[in-house]
Amino acid sequence: MHDFLNRLPKAELHLHLEGSLEPELMFELAQRNGIQLPYVSVEEVRAAYQFGNLQDFLDIYYQGAEVLQTEQDFYDLTWAYLQRCSEQNVIHTEPFFDPQTHTDRGIAFETVINGIDRALRDGRQQLGISSRLILCFLRHLDESAAFETLQQAMPHRDKFIAVGLDSSERGNPPEKFARVFAAARDAGLLTVAHAGEEGPAAYIRDALDLLQVSRVDHGVRAVEDEALMQRLIDSGMALTVCPLSNTKLQVFSDMRQHNILQMLARGVKVTVNSDDPAYFGGYMTENFVALYEALGLSKTQAVQLSRNAFEVAFVSEPEKQALLARLDRFAADEGVG
Ligand code: ADE
Ligand code: ZN
């Protein structure tokens, strides 16, 4: 099953590039940039990755991102992630980046996006991985900071397809960003938002109504509101679910408690994603394997989860059909109906 899940053609729709920074690369970049890390070894870094909640994680994640300084650093980060994609048959990816984490430290916006964009283009050419980039606003910062970031981003409009919303969810509701999301939509950008990870189901509804998102990131707390569940099912709204993230951040105490397969059975368009793989113990294949080990994920369910992701990817219809054809061919070869 591990081999099947690794070979399964996959799309990743919820991945923070800064969350793919492995401790080995963190040390390499710290050395390259003359930065002193508060850890002496890779083992010590990994041992520090014990989180009681989202904020515990975010504090360590933002600290780790400080080693990223030059365009080459952002290239190397993105390239390392794309190599993992290649090894795991992730044939399409729509990663997030958090520009404010870097611009607030004095790194120029173009340094960040140009490094990422160059790696994504090389990924298309050298690895055959298609991609679309998503710019996330940090929701613990205020609306004016998000507007400033959107303005900095506009000269690079061709390098990203959508805006998103991440960081500390509780106390930072979607309505705080309704106007900046409206401005982004006016500029022709698509929108997504983290909602219902730690925050209440009401934040999912607000992400739909006030931010007009095309997909909800996480959304697992939708199960607490039956009317919302019915709305998600009826509208075909996608949720980008991150199983290992949810257990590492105590959204579910154990993978056996995870609700992704119940939602799949009810007809919610759920997808599997890795969120911050360097911090949560695995990339795409490991997330699928965790569902198999804890919940008995079947091959048919795995193919359906993968199909959902291709169906809601931010690509043109011909590109989508080509991606789905690769999945269909795999499923037929494997005898999965
Ligand atoms: N930033 C990186 N990972 C995140 C997550 N799981 N939730 C909110 N913000 C994040
Ligand atoms: Zn996330």
Side-chain angles (χ1 to χ4, degrees):
M1 192 63 174
H2 184 291
D3 178 61
F4 173 89
L5 294 171
N6 197 63
R7 287 186 293 110
L8 174 69
K10 294 176 281 294
E12 175 144 64
L13 307 177
H14 184 156
L15 175 284
H16 303 263
L17 284 168
E18 294 88 347
S20 72
L21 177 61
E22 291 287 343
E24 288 80 1
L25 184 57
M26 193 189 293
F27 268 92
E28 192 181 318
L29 297 183
Q31 188 158 34
R32 194 151 97 186
N33 294 321
I35 293 167
Q36 187 72 42
L37 287 174
Y39 310 101
V40 298
S41 66
V42 163
E43 291 71 32
E44 198 188 313
V45 179
R46 288 218 163 83
Y49 292 174
Q50 307 281 345
F51 315 112
N53 56 37
L54 174 59
Q55 195 60 51
D56 280 359
F57 156 70
L58 290 171
D59 292 343
I60 289 190
Y61 161 83
Y62 294 131
Q63 182 184 62
E66 288 180 20
V67 302
L68 297 159
Q69 305 251 336
T70 67
E71 186 185 310
Q72 189 62 39
D73 297 343
F74 288 95
Y75 179 94
D76 291 348
L77 172 74
T78 308
W79 186 249
Y81 164 64
L82 289 168
Q83 284 181 312
R84 299 285 189 141
C85 288
S86 182
E87 288 160 16
Q88 299 198 341
N89 288 298
V90 175
I91 61 174
H92 178 76
T93 182
E94 300 188 357
F96 302 132
F97 74 120
D98 289 340
Q100 289 159 297
T101 298
H102 315 297
T103 54
D104 282 1
R105 300 181 286 120
I107 313 291
F109 183 92
E110 55 263 34
T111 299
V112 179
I113 200 162
N114 287 344
I116 294 170
D117 180 65
R118 183 158 57 86
L120 293 178
R121 279 189 281 122
D122 283 354
R124 276 169 225 141
Q125 281 166 11
Q126 296 174 36
L127 304 173
I129 298 169
S130 57
S131 54
R132 300 287 186 278
L133 183 62
I134 301 174
L135 181 161
C136 281
F137 300 116
L138 297 179
R139 70 200 305 160
H140 68 272
L141 301 179
D142 63 21
E143 182 197 42
S144 66
F147 265 113
E148 195 182 324
T149 300
L150 183 61
Q151 203 167 18
Q152 288 172 334
M154 287 327 286
H156 302 275
R157 174 68 189 80
D158 58 317
K159 301 189 181 88
F160 63 105
I161 188 130
V163 296
L165 189 62
D166 64 3
S167 193
S168 321
E169 187 182 9
R170 287 195 179 127
N172 294 299
E175 66 190 56
K176 187 175 161 185
F177 298 93
R179 293 190 298 191
V180 71
F181 269 59
R185 291 196 310 275
D186 286 346
L189 290 156
L190 295 169
T191 62
V192 297
H194 284 52
E197 178 187 19
E198 277 194 346
Y203 282 15
I204 301 172
R205 192 184 299 278
D206 289 346
L208 298 172
D209 293 333
L210 306 178
L211 307 183
Q212 296 183 27
V213 296
S214 297
R215 301 192 297 245
V216 173
D217 296 317
H218 293 294
V220 290
R221 289 192 58 191
V223 296
E224 295 169 22
D225 180 337
E226 182 49 33
L228 174 62
M229 281 290 284
Q230 207 52 56
R231 178 176 175 185
L232 296 176
I233 295 163
D234 293 344
S235 62
M237 176 58 54
L239 306 185
T240 63
V241 178
C242 307
L244 285 173
S245 166
N246 290 155
T247 52
K248 289 292 187 295
L249 300 185
Q250 320 292 339
V251 172
F252 296 96
S253 55
D254 185 289
M255 196 62 82
R256 285 168 296 187
Q257 311 298 319
H258 206 292
N259 61 19
I260 184 171
L261 295 189
Q262 285 159 270
M263 289 211 272
L264 182 70
R266 286 205 56 192
V268 182
K269 221 178 237 308
V270 285
T271 64
V272 174
N273 306 271
S274 73
D275 205 4
D276 302 283
Y279 292 87
F280 299 149
Y283 289 77
M284 286 290 277
T285 297
E286 289 80 10
N287 272 275
F288 275 92
V289 167
L291 295 178
Y292 166 67
E293 288 177 347
L295 298 168
L297 176 77
S298 70
K299 289 183 178 179
T300 303
Q301 287 170 322
V303 169
Q304 184 62 52
L305 289 164
S306 201
R307 185 180 311 283
N308 287 350
F310 290 123
E311 283 177 351
V312 300
F314 292 155
V315 296
S316 68
E317 202 51 38
E319 222 179 324
K320 188 176 294 187
Q321 291 311 322
L323 291 165
L324 282 165
R326 289 173 69 177
L327 177 66
D328 287 340
R329 204 172 321 121
F330 172 85
D333 287 350
E334 297 289 324
V336 181

